[in-house]
Amino acid sequence: GPSLPELPPLVALRAFHALGLLGSLRLAGSALGVGHTVVARHVRNLEAALGVALVRPAGRGLALTTEGALLHARIAAPFSAIADAAAQVARRRRALTIRCVPGFAAAVLLPRLEEIRQLLPGRQVILHPALSRRHYATVEADVEIAYGDKTVVAPLRGEVLARPRLFPVAAPSLPGAMAVRSVDDLLRLPMLHDETQEKWRGWLAEAGGARLPHGTLLGSMPLALEAARLGQGVALGNALLIAEARQAGALVELLRSDFRPFAYYLVAEAARWEEEAVARFRVWLQGVLAQLLPGGDLRPPDGAILATSAP
């Protein structure tokens, strides 16, 4: 079997690390919760184990020797990594961090924060709204909910939650909106975009023809939909994002279409996919979306795993 690496006494190594970091036996002892004589004894034991002098007298205090400075520089990063790893493991027991596209966060998660808290008793829920990333080679939270058509790279796993229709919506008060009967009618209205014209370009191509979009770029789909609600133009939205405005009559669908270029999907570390908090949240979210969206918007029904090739 694998052999254990030979290490000097770790308690002595930790005392030496604190001394090198803080510059005095008294401060090192205070940080470690022991007396300064205990720190001095640990450092002497480490010197004896290694057979080299690590500290030397300097004025009223101590300074690192050349060998001491070399050792301290080499052990600083591993000690920091151990502290980070321990904090991360402890945090996983205490919190669930959810990184999520802003529109989905506002429409689905915010109204159900109490449900999520009850789902994860004893854990702090940390919700971090953020736009989707181009690729997923690392995960920046316990779970991430993204929108688009991305590549998920091992050791992560991605699963489609829903692939909702994307369709044009406007306020009934927008001049000409309620008279729209064709794509040509639609193109006479001011068009509202998120960060690019990509979604509208795809919708127009799907509707038939090589028409080009025009109009204002607003940085995100929620912002474009809010501008549409205010009567500023026509935007593309889906059933999740416009549910509240649609119910209130503030937004209406202008032309029926079946354009589904992107999916909402969940990303997490593959090794943590069945971890209790991650699995509970994932299964709960699938149930919420099944209630909120028509069956067709939940395609593919098998929860397909996204590609795991390199980006």
Side-chain angles (χ1 to χ4, degrees):
S3 58
L4 289 173
E6 287 189 26
L7 296 173
L10 282 177
V11 66
L13 206 58
R14 186 164 185 248
F16 170 69
H17 175 248
L19 174 62
L21 207 58
L22 299 172
S24 87
L25 291 170
R26 184 181 57 79
L27 291 175
S30 177
L32 294 173
V34 298
H36 69 279
T37 55
V38 175
V39 177
R41 186 173 71 249
H42 283 320
V43 173
R44 285 197 302 272
N45 289 343
L46 184 60
E47 288 179 320
L50 298 178
V52 295
L54 300 173
V55 296
R56 58 178 174 79
R60 294 185 178 182
L62 295 172
L64 298 182
T65 63
T66 302
E67 290 82 3
L70 175 64
L71 178 63
H72 194 269
R74 294 293 298 273
I75 67 173
F79 268 106
S80 179
I82 291 168
D84 287 348
Q88 188 175 9
V89 167
R91 192 164 56 246
R92 283 182 180 179
R93 295 295 305 161
R94 297 193 305 267
L96 184 78
T97 304
I98 306 162
R99 188 182 193 273
C100 183
V101 283
F104 190 101
V108 179
L109 300 184
L110 282 181
R112 295 170 179 80
L113 281 181
E114 187 54 39
E115 279 185 52
I116 300 172
R117 289 191 199 103
Q118 290 176 9
L119 189 73
L120 306 166
R123 287 181 188 262
Q124 182 185 18
V125 176
I126 302 169
L127 182 57
H128 174 48
L131 294 176
S132 290
R133 293 181 284 152
R134 188 176 299 277
H135 296 294
Y136 279 84
T138 58
V139 74
E140 297 176 1
D142 296 313
V143 293
E144 297 194 25
I145 298 160
Y147 180 71
D149 189 12
K150 305 288 188 293
T151 300
V152 178
V153 182
L156 304 183
R157 174 172 170 172
E159 188 170 289
V160 171
L161 294 167
R163 191 175 289 275
R165 273 190 324 118
L166 206 53
F167 48 82
V169 294
S173 60
L174 178 69
M178 302 311 289
V180 168
R181 298 290 181 270
S182 67
V183 174
D184 288 334
D185 293 340
L186 190 73
L187 286 167
R188 295 189 184 97
L189 302 176
M191 299 180 81
L192 303 168
H193 307 270
D194 52 23
E195 65 270 26
T196 71
Q197 293 186 343
E198 177 190 0
K199 294 180 182 68
W200 265 119
R201 194 173 286 117
W203 187 90
L204 287 168
E206 193 86 0
R211 304 171 183 85
L212 293 175
H214 54 81
T216 311
L217 273 64
L218 293 165
S220 73
M221 195 187 296
L223 207 58
L225 288 169
E226 178 61 14
R229 192 186 67 79
L230 294 171
Q232 300 295 309
V234 56
L236 285 174
N238 64 49
L240 276 180
L241 299 189
I242 70 154
E244 199 174 314
R246 192 184 216 173
Q247 194 171 2
L251 286 175
V252 294
E253 182 174 357
L254 299 189
L255 285 176
R256 180 76 186 180
S257 57
D258 192 30
F259 179 55
R260 305 169 187 268
F262 303 120
Y264 287 108
Y265 53 99
L266 186 141
V267 180
E269 293 175 21
R272 299 186 61 200
W273 197 255
E274 297 301 337
E275 193 177 285
E276 184 186 15
V278 174
R280 273 192 181 189
F281 177 75
R282 174 168 46 83
V283 171
W284 170 82
L285 188 56
Q286 288 167 341
V288 168
L289 292 178
Q291 289 179 331
L292 293 177
L293 289 170
D297 286 347
L298 293 172
R299 299 189 299 186
D302 58 350
I305 298 170
L306 298 179
T308 53
S309 57

